[in-house]
Amino acid sequence: MTSPVLADGLSAIADRYDVVLCDIWGVIHNGRESFPAARDALTRFKAEHGPVVLISNAPRPHPPIIEQLAELGVDAGCYTEVVTSGDATRTLLAERAPGPFWKIGPDRDWPLYEGLGVELVSLEEARFISCTGPFDDENETPEDYRERFRTAVARGLPMICANPDIVVQRGDKLIYCGGALAQLYEALEGQVLMAGKPHAAIYDLALEKAAARLGRPLDRTRVLCIGDGLGTDIRGANAQGLDVVFIANGIHGKETVRDGALDLSVAGHLLEIEGLKAAWAMPDLVW
């Protein structure tokens, strides 16, 4: 499989594209601070080329994510729209209201359920599970849920996972996300439903918003995805037939970047192992 082409920056390829769909966590910020060069790159693309849609596997609807971005110094000049896994997942939840359901995830994810008319109950009373991540993502691992998941699978409860990410980088630490729990649930032969990356629902929503901003139908050959997650950002873009930039200095930075330089052969090998491809690669998102 062909290795991605090293791009010196977004400016080197921007003329090829009318729209950018950009991941947030790992590309624009690490959960504690945002990256000035990435902010500048997106601001320049938006001003000079076209819409920038931030596309995130955050398990909450987009308004709280916009607030979080502002707190991290990412203002509206960097993007045109924000679309989250939470936005796409609310449709799956609404179809099953009132449930009842068992919730897995921290209290900060409660906005996902507001206004849907779903009823929160214990696992023993639930008809399905909704998972946004571990209750305590700083300390828990999927193994902490194995026995409860065995019980749920035995009862035939489906799981709706609002965040397909396996891990994200928070500061200098990798933490487990909803996708890691969903992975275990599937391994135990449970049914999992997802709407976030790499699944189609979130891309349908993002592309719809981009086309509305352009005021015309999209030419999919002129849509560029940007992300650091192989199983989410890169796989999702490949499934949609969209060009993608692999940002190596995110989840896979320790493997692919040495002294600030990207090793394309390592990046290509990682992609090949997963059966994926990327048109371009950069250590970090820069203009």
Side-chain angles (χ1 to χ4, degrees), residues 200-278:
I202 192 169
Y203 288 94
D204 292 343
L205 185 56
L207 292 171
E208 178 185 333
K209 288 183 177 293
R213 289 288 190 156
L214 277 175
R216 56 179 169 80
L218 286 178
D219 177 353
R220 294 173 72 95
T221 68
R222 294 187 62 83
V223 176
L224 178 66
C225 298
I226 303 172
D228 68 320
L230 295 180
T232 51
D233 304 309
I234 311 303
R235 190 175 302 281
N238 286 183
Q240 295 294 315
L242 303 173
D243 282 357
V244 62
V245 178
F246 173 46
I247 301 299
N249 209 7
I251 295 173
H252 299 284
K254 291 182 179 179
E255 301 158 271
T256 59
V257 180
R258 298 286 185 274
D259 298 322
L262 170 59
D263 188 328
L264 275 179
S265 64
V266 174
H269 180 64
L270 288 176
L271 290 161
E272 184 174 8
I273 289 172
E274 298 293 330
L276 302 172
K277 61 181 180 179

Side-chain angles (χ1 to χ4, degrees), residues 37 40 46 51 64 69 86 110 127 133-134 144 147 160 165-166 173-174 189 196 208 212-214 222 268 270:
D40 177 64
K46 178 186 173 185
L69 289 170
W110 185 252
R127 293 182 183 171
D144 293 309
E147 292 310 312
I160 295 175
D165 285 351
I166 305 299
K173 179 180 180 182
L174 291 179
E189 301 187 353
E208 178 185 333
R213 289 288 190 156
L214 277 175
R222 294 187 62 83
L270 288 176

Side-chain angles (χ1 to χ4, degrees), residues 39-58:
R39 299 197 315 256
D40 177 64
L42 295 177
T43 299
R44 294 283 296 272
F45 185 93
K46 178 186 173 185
E48 300 173 19
H49 296 277
V52 172
V53 181
L54 303 187
I55 177 169
S56 169
N57 271 351

Side-chain angles (χ1 to χ4, degrees), residues 186-205:
E186 285 188 318
L188 295 172
E189 301 187 353
Q191 178 190 9
V192 175
L193 305 170
M194 295 193 241
K197 298 176 290 184
H199 304 282
I202 192 169
Y203 288 94
D204 292 343
L205 185 56

